Amino acid sequence: MIKFSEKNQAFYDSNLKYSDLPDDLVTISAEQHQIMLDQINGSCIIFSNLTASPPRPNQFHTWNGTDWIDHRTTEEIEAQRLKQFKPLTRYQFFRALLESGYKSADIEVQIQTIEDDYQRELVMLGWQMATNFVRTDESVLLMQNMLGWTRDQVDEMWFYASTL
């Protein structure tokens, strides 16, 4: 016979000896055990009435008793989202821009419009010398603004470029 503890989110086989058992054990059928095991493995929480929460959206969410809550700031969420993007080789980056209608010479003209001397030189250095491009790099974000691209447009370009 299998028993379940809501407090521990764990199953206990009554045929085994345990040194300490929780006080909230509920007897469940083999069918319930399989369903609940699948739910727990799917990042759900099982309640005392043996119903389950929706699956945990991701590792950053915690259960507050009624809902999954992500306590990260908007900036932290965006930083984590950007980590999914692999660096692009110089070829991938330049080819994707070309296929999006941007020649490298046109980008250099845009870079020359940056007012701050240091920032302009830094971006140009990265543009001309980089062997790979990282989605979170400040220069990439600056070029995004210069080209008037949305975050989603850059993401699409990045995913496409990664296939080249």
Side-chain angles (χ1 to χ4, degrees):
M1 189 178 331
I2 301 292
K3 297 187 178 203
F4 176 74
S5 166
E6 177 190 17
K7 179 173 41 179
N8 293 349
Q9 292 292 291
F11 301 99
Y12 298 86
D13 187 333
S14 59
N15 295 323
L16 300 175
K17 302 274 189 234
Y18 298 93
S19 60
D20 190 24
L21 286 171
D23 59 4
D24 67 337
L25 290 176
V26 176
T27 302
I28 58 173
S29 68
E31 182 181 328
Q32 286 174 308
H33 176 243
Q34 187 57 57
I35 291 168
M36 293 165 64
L37 184 60
D38 290 343
Q39 290 169 323
I40 288 174
N41 287 335
S43 299
C44 298
I45 293 177
I46 307 295
F47 306 117
S48 61
N49 64 0
L50 305 183
T51 61
S53 72
R56 183 179 184 187
N58 60 47
Q59 72 271 24
F60 302 105
H61 284 76
T62 56
W63 185 253
N64 73 356
T66 56
D67 291 304
W68 291 107
I69 304 295
D70 186 340
H71 294 285
R72 296 174 298 162
T73 65
T74 303
E75 293 80 17
E76 290 169 329
I77 292 170
E78 179 63 5
Q80 183 65 35
R81 187 190 74 78
L82 290 174
K83 284 183 183 179
Q84 72 179 312
F85 295 94
K86 304 273 189 254
L88 297 177
T89 65
R90 185 172 184 77
Y91 173 79
Q92 289 172 313
F93 188 74
F94 276 68
R95 179 168 168 192
L97 283 174
L98 181 62
E99 290 185 17
S100 298
Y102 294 94
K103 296 178 184 171
S104 60
D106 296 336
I107 304 273
E108 287 187 19
V109 168
Q110 287 291 324
I111 293 171
Q112 290 300 330
T113 66
I114 297 172
E115 291 183 21
D116 181 83
D117 289 340
Y118 177 79
Q119 189 68 41
R120 181 177 56 249
E121 289 299 316
L122 185 63
V123 172
M124 187 62 80
L125 180 66
W127 177 256
Q128 293 175 338
M129 306 301 283
T131 56
N132 63 48
F133 290 85
V134 178
R135 179 69 178 85
T136 56
D137 187 87
E138 187 178 323
S139 298
V140 171
L141 300 176
L142 226 157
M143 285 192 290
Q144 172 185 335
N145 291 334
M146 286 186 329
L147 298 175
W149 282 15
T150 66
R151 180 186 83 175
D152 290 342
Q153 287 173 305
V154 176
D155 292 352
E156 286 175 34
M157 185 277 293
W158 212 273
F159 283 124
Y160 170 71
S162 69
T163 67
L164 298 174

